[in-house]
Amino acid sequence: CQRLLLEGRIHRPVNIVECTRLRNSLHAQGDNRDLRFHASAPLISHGVPIGVLNVATAEWQFLTHDDLSFLSTVSSRLVAAIERAHFYEVAEQRRIHLQNELNLAQQVQIGLMPQGKPDIPGFGLAWAWHPAREVAGDFYNVFRLSEHRWGILIGDVAGKGTAAALYMAMVHSLILSGTMRHRSPAAVLREVNDTLLKQATS
């Protein structure tokens, strides 16, 4: 009977009689040796059996119809609790996975920022970067263009979070790439703007 319950072939609570132990009890002149009558209820989630709730009577007798009805209610409530616990576990695993990915993205984004302040005669530099979330669209850089020329880059992509951070990384790379081909800041920004327009309309 337990096998039928687990296979999903029984969909309601049923009394279960352990025939072998009952026969032994009869041979022992009624000594039931702590034998109890059992009833089992299938635990079914969305049509799929996920377990069995098994109870035993305090007396040596079958569970009544009301007992079985109560057991049916308990089993349905237990299934609902198991489902909620499962959904919470899945949601928590996804949250942890997403948090780990965001932490990794933050480390990558931090790596795009200048790691040290260059010594530029006549200039004192200071900066700080504190994103509202794990990643952001704000960025800056200070880099050498030639022996006596430096580039100072400050940008803020509209929006926050992952989407802004992706645009930040792309724009940052496009500007650095453009400075290798053009001396004029206007020419660099024009090229970057044209590239972004092509990306947006393609």
Side-chain angles (χ1 to χ4, degrees):
C1 188
Q2 293 277 10
R3 179 175 59 82
L4 296 178
L5 286 165
L6 289 172
E7 290 177 353
R9 297 166 64 180
I10 297 179
H11 300 277
R12 58 182 178 81
V14 293
N15 278 295
I16 296 176
V17 179
E18 300 182 47
C19 298
T20 302
R21 294 186 64 189
L22 283 175
R23 183 171 60 250
N24 293 339
S25 177
L26 290 175
H27 293 163
Q29 299 180 345
D31 180 10
N32 62 14
R33 299 179 183 179
D34 293 327
L35 175 67
R36 296 288 184 269
F37 280 89
H38 294 260
S40 294
L43 303 179
I44 300 176
S45 175
H46 302 288
V48 179
I50 60 174
V52 175
L53 176 62
N54 191 63
V55 299
T57 64
E59 303 295 335
W60 202 34
Q61 64 184 19
F62 283 113
L63 271 72
T64 67
H65 175 76
D66 289 340
D67 293 331
L68 295 179
S69 178
F70 175 74
L71 185 59
S72 177
T73 300
V74 171
S75 65
S76 64
R77 298 291 179 84
L78 181 58
V79 168
I82 292 174
E83 289 175 342
R84 286 195 298 269
H86 173 70
F87 292 150
Y88 173 81
E89 182 180 358
V90 170
E92 183 65 9
Q93 289 176 348
R94 290 179 178 175
R95 185 194 67 80
I96 293 174
H97 179 71
L98 178 60
Q99 186 62 51
N100 289 337
E101 287 191 342
L102 287 174
N103 290 339
L104 178 59
Q106 183 184 57
Q107 294 305 313
V108 171
Q109 191 171 39
I110 291 174
L112 296 176
M113 304 298 182
Q115 302 304 306
K117 296 180 178 65
D119 183 16
I120 304 177
F123 290 88
L125 301 176
W127 53 66
W129 183 71
H130 301 287
R133 301 176 184 172
E134 287 83 356
V135 291
D138 304 327
F139 63 101
Y140 62 89
N141 204 345
V142 179
F143 48 94
R144 185 186 292 273
L145 295 172
S146 62
E147 184 177 358
H148 301 294
R149 297 176 68 242
W150 289 84
I152 298 178
L153 175 62
I154 301 174
D156 183 7
V157 177
K160 294 181 174 61
T162 307
L166 290 173
Y167 267 97
M168 165 265 176
M170 180 173 64
V171 173
H172 192 194
S173 299
L174 288 174
I175 292 176
L176 292 180
S177 175
T179 60
M180 300 176 65
R181 291 185 295 275
H182 307 286
R183 288 181 56 85
S184 167
V188 172
L189 294 179
R190 188 180 301 111
E191 180 180 274
V192 171
N193 186 65
D194 291 342
T195 302
L196 292 176
L197 285 174
K198 291 177 182 177
Q199 292 283 345
T201 57
S202 61

